[in-house]
Amino acid sequence: MKFAEFAERAAEIEAEPADLETIALVAALLEDAGEDIGPLVRFVQGRVFPAHDGTKLDIGPSLCYAALAKSAGPNVSATDVESRLADVGEIGAVAEQLDLGGQRGLSDFANGTDPLTVSDVEESLTELAAADGPGSTDAKLDILFGLLNRAEPLEAKFLSRLVLGEMRTGVGERTVRDGIAEAFDLPVDAVERALQLSNDCGLVARTARDDGEPGLERIRLEIGRPVQSMLAQAGTAVEALDAWDEAVVETKYDGARVQVHYDGTSVRLFSRNLEDVTDALPDVVEQVTERLDSPAIVDGEVVAVDENGSPLPFQQVLRRFRRKHDVAAARASVTVELYAFDCLHVDGEDLLDAPLEERHRRLESVLEDGVADLERTSAVERIAELERAALEASHEGIMLKNPDSVYAPGDRGQNWLKRKPDVETLDLVVTGAEWGEGRRANQFGTFLLAARRGNEYATIGKVATGITDEQLAELHERLEPLVRSEDGTVVDLAPETVFEVGYEEIQRSPTYSSGYALRFPRFVAVREEKSPADADSLERVERLATDQ
Ligand code: AMP
């Protein structure tokens, strides 16, 4: 396809406000694409290379302005381009208005003067991306100049946008998915699946057209071709248990995400942005080669550790990730460990659709060491305990995962939750207590909490979680002298002690006299320095409740 035709169609797509019509235009483009279906389905999204391919053009705005100025002739400088941009607001419009091609005579013979085709653009940009080392900026500038110099105004508009990755056509991954399905009359699910597994819309569009649904079904994960990582939302233990009854709890490691591809002999490592970071992490490569028994794709986190193996802050791992020079020196100064927590593929078998715990079992069966622990629980107290243990061990916190969930590449869904730390704690007055049960029957086990309302106290919840045996004994000793009356297992206490309490949420509730209740209150500490007059007021509780 001529690049001019692509530009016309891109302009039509840009002008179309309705989603369904946009999908239809993308579908028509793909139907007419011929041999260029791969680059076209990428270009229309502002992408030059497949998503799994970490190749970058590395064209900054200033290089693009310089190339535009050079093609516009001696009277236009890069500064002129920039000031026009300030007026017009968008590089495509600037490029369209410039009278390019004034330098056509200067264009290198090999660039030719024939109309640009989509494959010319793809070839030149591939060559441009490969330019490396000293002189590479000049080489990139020359190649871009060569293209722009042959471009008509509308072509220049979309070429400039393409190299800067801002097509403004409103076409994203979903439109492409729906466009492929519509063009070749295939189920959206089948297209979506193939896109997830290959991370290559060009391959999927071509396969959809040439081999239909059976072809799409043959697209599988491939070792060496990274997929999007599954992502997490912020959430609470209550949300997790409300939704799934039981949650898998894992440590949240404070490092950098890595996708490990091992083909049985060699290892490649990809970052969350699918960049190849293998060369920066030779020690992880060694760990994986030693520990992995079979070809596999493994998901995990690389964490910097001290000499005892304790995690170091996340900034340390950044000193290692993506490093291109002095790798050996960096390795000597920062030690890293891989914590693997998921497994997408083992020995020819894709595991994305297997439930989480089964994937974890498979991971343990192929990886000897460095597999993250997980625990399945339905108890919010246990989740709090695991979180405390993770924080004490200097990790970032915990992840809560749906035990039945599949691995959904690129999905930031409800199945993985990163536990939100309590944003606020409350300082509340202890106005009552309940005797414990079983081996704790001889001391208080639950404490009634109240917020200040003027000179009175309005109850808001009970806390029994987050208190060690030792602390329980101390609290009993401290509070027993304050007992004013006793009714069965419940005692009324003189309001003298202030607890700092964490919680997940404040709810309206008729149970307590304040009209509010804390969801999952957790003892943090006794506020020794605070008297009840310094405790939090009901107004603050109300404010927090409305803000959350
Ligand atoms: P965030 O970057 O805050 O959105 O948190 C999600 C990130 O936590 C993931 O992309 C991983 O890099 C990281 N992470 C650490 N431990 C885990 C784990 N056990 N499971 C999933 N992601 C984890």
Side-chain angles (χ1 to χ4, degrees):
M1 185 182 278
K2 298 270 189 301
F3 193 73
E5 181 176 349
F6 165 70
E8 266 168 42
R9 287 175 176 243
E12 236 183 297
I13 294 172
E14 182 183 8
E16 176 54 62
D19 288 352
L20 283 179
E21 291 305 314
T22 304
I23 293 168
L25 289 171
V26 170
L29 173 69
L30 298 180
E31 283 169 46
D32 300 340
E35 265 316 287
D36 297 321
I37 194 163
L40 278 172
V41 71
R42 295 195 297 271
F43 286 5
V44 74
Q45 300 171 76
R47 197 179 258 299
V48 178
F49 303 106
H52 65 76
D53 181 339
T55 309
K56 292 212 171 64
L57 290 178
D58 254 340
I59 295 183
S62 50
L63 196 124
C64 180
Y65 307 155
L68 279 168
K70 194 171 170 192
S71 334
N75 299 328
V76 182
S77 69
T79 321
D80 296 332
V81 173
E82 261 184 86
S83 61
R84 286 188 194 213
L85 180 63
D87 292 340
V88 183
E90 188 269 308
I91 196 64
V94 175
E96 194 178 12
Q97 287 165 13
L98 287 168
D99 181 21
L100 300 185
Q103 303 301 294
R104 266 180 204 157
L106 297 183
S107 164
D108 140 12
F109 183 69
N111 283 330
T113 48
D114 294 341
L116 278 174
T117 63
V118 168
S119 69
D120 289 338
V121 172
E122 188 189 24
E123 268 170 39
S124 294
L125 293 181
T126 305
E127 192 191 333
L128 184 152
D132 195 15
S136 62
T137 308
D138 289 345
K140 284 175 195 275
L141 182 65
D142 280 349
I143 295 171
L144 189 53
F145 163 66
L147 286 173
L148 286 168
N149 204 33
R150 290 167 62 189
E152 296 302 324
L154 199 60
E155 293 175 281
K157 175 178 193 166
F158 284 99
L159 194 52
S160 314
R161 287 182 178 180
L162 177 64
V163 298
L164 292 180
E166 318 158 353
M167 283 306 263
R168 303 170 77 96
T169 45
V171 176
E173 286 171 10
R174 294 170 72 89
T175 317
V176 158
R177 177 198 67 190
D178 295 351
I180 296 173
E182 184 169 321
F184 309 115
D185 203 12
L186 291 165
V188 171
D189 286 355
V191 177
E192 162 123 356
R193 188 73 184 147
L195 285 169
Q196 281 189 338
L197 292 171
S198 66
N199 215 2
D200 186 339
C201 55
L203 171 75
V204 173
R206 179 182 293 278
T207 309
R209 180 189 66 191
D210 297 347
D211 304 312
E213 205 173 344
L216 292 182
E217 278 166 10
R218 283 193 296 273
I219 292 183
R220 292 288 159 88
L221 289 179
E222 225 170 65
I223 293 177
R225 186 174 67 190
V227 296
Q228 305 285 343
S229 296
M230 183 160 174
L231 301 170
Q233 284 187 7
T236 64
V238 176
E239 280 164 7
L241 295 177
D242 275 355
W244 324 314
D245 298 330
E246 285 189 298
V248 160
V249 186
E250 289 174 11
T251 298
K252 184 169 193 288
Y253 301 97
D254 195 9
R257 188 81 172 258
V258 73
Q259 199 175 94
V260 178
H261 288 242
Y262 176 59
D263 65 7
T265 37
S266 65
V267 172
R268 285 178 75 194
L269 305 173
F270 298 95
S271 73
R272 176 160 154 177
N273 303 330
L274 310 181
E275 249 177 283
D276 190 326
V277 292
T278 315
D279 292 342
L281 301 166
D283 32 0
V284 177
V285 171
E286 284 163 22
Q287 286 164 24
V288 170
T289 321
E290 264 168 40
R291 296 173 188 170
L292 256 178
D293 289 340
S294 312
I297 303 176
V298 165
D299 193 2
E301 190 91 345
V302 168
V303 180
V305 293
D306 66 14
E307 60 277 10
N308 305 316
S310 297
L312 292 170
F314 157 73
Q315 287 74 10
Q316 294 294 325
V317 89
L318 291 186
R319 295 174 51 197
R320 295 289 316 277
F321 236 68
R322 295 193 191 87
R323 183 177 278 273
K324 299 221 163 50
H325 307 291
D326 303 326
V327 170
R331 175 179 181 173
S333 73
V334 181
T335 306
V336 294
E337 271 290 334
L338 170 72
Y339 288 94
F341 51 73
D342 217 314
C343 183
L344 284 58
H345 175 100
V346 172
D347 216 1
E349 193 185 344
D350 289 350
L351 298 173
L352 297 184
D353 290 332
L356 183 133
E357 282 172 306
E358 188 187 328
R359 297 199 307 276
H360 198 265
R361 271 194 297 279
R362 295 296 296 270
L363 178 60
E364 282 178 323
S365 75
V366 289
L367 189 62
E368 278 170 30
D369 209 2
V371 177
D373 287 334
L374 59 72
E375 181 172 325
R376 184 171 174 150
T377 178
S378 59
V380 89
E381 293 78 11
R382 181 67 188 145
I383 295 178
E385 232 168 83
L386 290 167
E387 182 175 22
R388 263 197 311 283
L391 292 172
E392 263 162 34
S394 305
H395 294 298
E396 198 184 1
I398 53 169
M399 300 285 297
L400 301 167
K401 297 184 179 175
N402 178 351
D404 300 324
S405 59
V406 300
Y407 192 99
D411 185 32
R412 191 185 289 285
Q414 301 280 355
N415 283 327
W416 286 15
L417 300 177
K418 40 189 177 182
R419 238 277 307 160
K420 259 194 296 197
D422 299 317
V423 243
E424 304 271 1
T425 54
L426 283 168
D427 292 333
L428 298 169
V429 183
V430 185
T431 58
E434 289 171 25
W435 289 95
E437 287 173 358
R439 77 188 164 86
R440 290 178 172 167
N442 58 350
Q443 59 188 22
F444 301 144
T446 303
F447 304 89
L448 182 65
L449 305 165
R452 228 170 9 88
R453 176 162 53 198
N455 293 329
E456 293 176 9
Y457 300 102
T459 55
I460 185 169
K462 292 177 189 169
V463 67
T465 316
I467 319 176
T468 63
D469 285 352
E470 204 179 317
Q471 285 172 325
L472 271 180
E474 273 173 31
L475 288 175
H476 186 81
E477 248 175 64
R478 176 197 289 263
L479 295 173
E480 202 182 15
L482 304 178
V483 173
R484 295 198 290 207
S485 63
E486 197 156 350
D487 181 6
T489 58
V490 180
V491 301
D492 179 37
L493 296 174
E496 288 190 12
T497 315
V498 178
F499 280 6
E500 180 182 359
V501 176
Y503 58 90
E504 283 200 350
E505 209 184 329
I506 303 173
Q507 293 182 309
R508 290 206 154 272
S509 159
T511 312
Y512 299 104
S513 65
S514 63
Y516 290 97
L518 299 180
R519 269 196 124 183
F520 296 102
R522 191 168 49 77
F523 174 83
V524 178
V526 176
R527 296 301 300 254
E528 303 286 357
E529 76 289 7
K530 283 203 167 180
S531 71
D534 307 317
D536 277 314
S537 62
L538 195 53
E539 288 81 53
R540 174 150 195 266
V541 170
E542 274 162 359
R543 220 172 30 248
L544 288 170
T546 13
D547 286 354
Q548 67 196 356

